[in-house]
Structure formats: structure tokens, C-alpha cells
Amino acid sequence: MLWSATARLSANPSPLHLPVFNQSITVFGKSKPSRVCCSPSRAMETNDDTSKAKGLSFDDFLSKKPYSPPTWASHLKPIPSHVFSLAHLPTPIHKWNLPNLPQNTEVWLKREDLSGMQLSGNKVRKLEFLLAEAVAQGADCIITIGGIQSNHCRATAVAAKYLNLDSYLILFTSKLLVDKDPGLTGNLLVERFMGAHIQLISKEEYAKIGSVALTNVLKEQLLKEGRRPYVIPVGGSNSLGTWGYIEAMREIEEQLQIRSNRVKFDDIVVACGRLKDWIMQLTLLRSLNL
């Protein structure tokens, strides 16, 4: 078994006023045994020198490369043309020595938390494809939306900074905090270090207006200012972002192939908070007969 280890928007859609907490903090200027594979939410622990070198390559980091899908996903359309190397991949797969496991049961852990500390685990996998499209379209800034401590928004702010793109984050929080400076706690600290423009909205307004309308309003405002924004949906969860998980499955396959003892997983367990993401991942697992 493998485990897969801020300002206010008015509820009136026309127009919406978006006051912004948009200043970054200046820091120095800127029968067989059952095996379960679990991914917390890219290298199997191995002695293979090639795999280790791949994960530490300086030449690959931040490079944009032509993309070719795995053969079992080549029928999916559209296939992305390029992908950015933003994460430290492959992430390791470790055997997890849990107490009181059933007899002949092994649990292994895919360490997505090691994809890059500031890039929020598996979130960066989707951003590798989404930001490749953003750059290809000539974007100069990125818009996305999520909760006040969204890991996806943090990862987006960091990845955008890597690529010299501005980031605009719409974060929903409680009514009591909407008109206050969001502070420097948790992911907000990283986002503000990255110079992200942070805008807050209440959870109630988010539910009423919706993420698409909110990001579109901000997009139109930026277009009027002469900017070239690219919008990433909540969690980066769309068909393009799904290719990040397709690559994760290919990565697991390759890691299993280089193991000297040929480990084979019977089940893969993935924690998932969104129905859309769950459906995407379930489809991938079924395509691999897992």
C-alpha cells in the first residue's frame, strides 16, 4: 500500500472593489505480502545513482522542456506541449514501519513533502504544467484563489517568483478578519516574503459569488492596467493541472522498476479534499489496474 503522504471583495458583482494588502516584506532587497503505498499530501529510497542525480540536477531546475506523456496516457487530449521543472523530483518512497499492522502487510510512504519545502508538497506538480502555459501565453502575473492558509496559494506565490511573475492571491477567511491586515502567520509569511498581492474576502461572499467570478473581476482590473494575467483555478484543479498527477504515477512506476527486489504495490491510498481531484486520481489508478 502506498500513502500519498488579502482585502475585501464586495458581494455586488458590478463593480467589485478590491483593496489590497499588496506589499511584500523587504528582506535584503527582496499471499504475497500486501503492500500499500501512501502519498502524503519525486525518489524511491534506492541506491540507484541515476535516480539520485536526477533529483538533484541543477541544470534541470527552472528549465522549460517539451513534454511527452507516458504511453498509457497518450490517448488523453489535449496533451501539454511543455512543462517547467519546479520541484525536487523524484520524491522518495520509504517503507513505513507502523506498529500492529496485519500479518504480511507492508506500508510504504511517498514523501511528497520533500518536493521543495516552500512549494507545498504535491501542489507544485500541477504548477509545473500550469505555469508553463502561463509563460507560453506571455503572462506577466498569476491570479489564484483559496483559503487564508491555502498551501496551493503559497506554492503559486513561490513558483511565480521563481519565474519573475507577480502573484495575486484572493484568500477567503472569516468576516471578523476581512478588513484587517492578514499578518505573518503560516503560509501568509511565505506569500508576503514572495511579494504576493493579497486580497481578502469573507467565506460567505466566496460562497455567494464563486471563485470563477472573483478571479475574473481581478483579471479584468489587471487587463485595464495593461497587465497580462493568467488565472489558475482553486487548487490548480483543472484538466491541465491533472497532468501533474499523471507524471506522479509515471514516477512511481519508474521507481518500482529500479528497485532490485521489484516491489509491487497492491493498493494506493491518497488523501484528497476535493471531489474533482479525487475523480482525477481515481481515474489514473484504474488506468494502472490499482
Side-chain angles (χ1 to χ4, degrees):
M1 181 180 290
L2 175 64
W3 276 86
S4 181
T6 358
R8 187 173 185 181
L9 301 181
S10 166
N12 181 359
S14 179
L16 291 178
H17 176 55
L18 308 179
V20 180
F21 298 104
N22 62 359
Q23 296 300 317
S24 67
I25 304 168
T26 301
V27 182
F28 305 112
K30 315 226 153 175
S31 354
K32 288 190 288 187
S34 173
R35 291 189 173 93
V36 182
C37 186
C38 311
S39 175
S41 159
R42 275 165 174 161
M44 174 177 277
E45 192 172 11
T46 176
N47 293 324
D48 185 273
D49 292 335
T50 302
S51 178
K52 289 183 179 179
K54 178 181 176 183
L56 298 173
S57 173
F58 293 104
D59 293 333
D60 289 344
F61 187 57
L62 297 185
S63 64
K64 184 180 178 182
K65 300 178 179 179
Y67 179 69
S68 297
T71 54
W72 47 263
S74 58
H75 64 287
L76 300 176
K77 301 294 185 240
I79 295 174
S81 61
H82 289 81
V83 61
F84 265 116
S85 295
L86 301 175
H88 302 296
L89 303 175
T91 55
I93 298 177
H94 295 160
K95 188 174 181 181
W96 197 7
N97 295 317
L98 291 174
N100 303 317
L101 286 174
Q103 188 175 7
N104 293 326
T105 298
E106 295 178 2
V107 177
W108 295 68
L109 188 68
K110 178 101 169 119
R111 295 294 305 275
E112 291 292 84
D113 56 311
L114 299 180
S115 66
M117 179 185 68
Q118 66 275 55
L119 287 167
S120 302
N122 64 348
K123 308 298 183 184
V124 67
R125 291 187 182 273
K126 292 183 277 189
L127 290 172
E128 290 191 324
F129 289 92
L130 293 164
L131 291 181
E133 181 176 79
V135 170
Q137 293 181 4
D140 64 4
C141 58
I142 304 297
I143 299 171
T144 196
I145 187 169
I148 188 69
Q149 289 293 342
S150 165
N151 290 327
H152 159 72
C153 288
R154 180 183 81 175
T156 300
V158 173
K161 179 60 68 175
Y162 279 161
L163 302 175
N164 294 318
L165 302 171
D166 291 335
S167 58
Y168 290 80
L169 311 178
I170 303 173
L171 306 178
F172 53 85
T173 185
S174 68
K175 284 183 177 179
L176 297 177
L177 300 177
V178 163
D179 295 318
K180 299 179 180 179
D181 188 293
L184 301 173
T185 59
N187 289 338
L188 286 165
L189 176 62
V190 177
E191 291 160 359
R192 298 183 80 171
F193 271 137
M194 295 299 106
H197 301 252
I198 298 174
Q199 306 180 341
L200 298 183
I201 183 172
S202 71
K203 295 177 182 177
E204 291 78 8
E205 288 175 307
Y206 173 80
K208 180 178 180 180
I209 301 172
S211 63
V212 175
L214 291 169
T215 53
N216 281 343
V217 168
L218 181 53
K219 177 181 177 180
E220 291 303 316
Q221 290 184 352
L222 291 172
L223 287 171
K224 290 178 181 178
E225 295 173 7
R227 304 300 303 273
R228 300 185 301 277
Y230 178 88
V231 177
I232 296 177
V234 178
S237 298
N238 60 12
S239 58
L240 180 57
T242 302
W243 286 95
Y245 292 135
I246 291 174
E247 279 303 296
M249 296 306 300
R250 169 152 65 179
E251 182 175 294
I252 293 172
E253 282 188 316
E254 292 175 349
Q255 288 174 301
L256 293 178
Q257 290 171 3
I258 65 175
R259 289 285 297 188
S260 58
N261 58 354
R262 296 295 181 180
V263 173
K264 183 181 184 301
F265 298 123
D266 303 299
D267 303 278
I268 295 183
V269 180
V270 183
C272 185
R274 281 190 196 85
L275 178 60
K276 184 186 294 184
D277 282 350
W278 180 82
I279 293 173
M280 291 175 179
Q281 294 176 27
L282 180 61
T283 301
L284 292 177
L285 295 176
R286 284 183 172 175
S287 69
L288 297 174
N289 295 318
L290 293 168

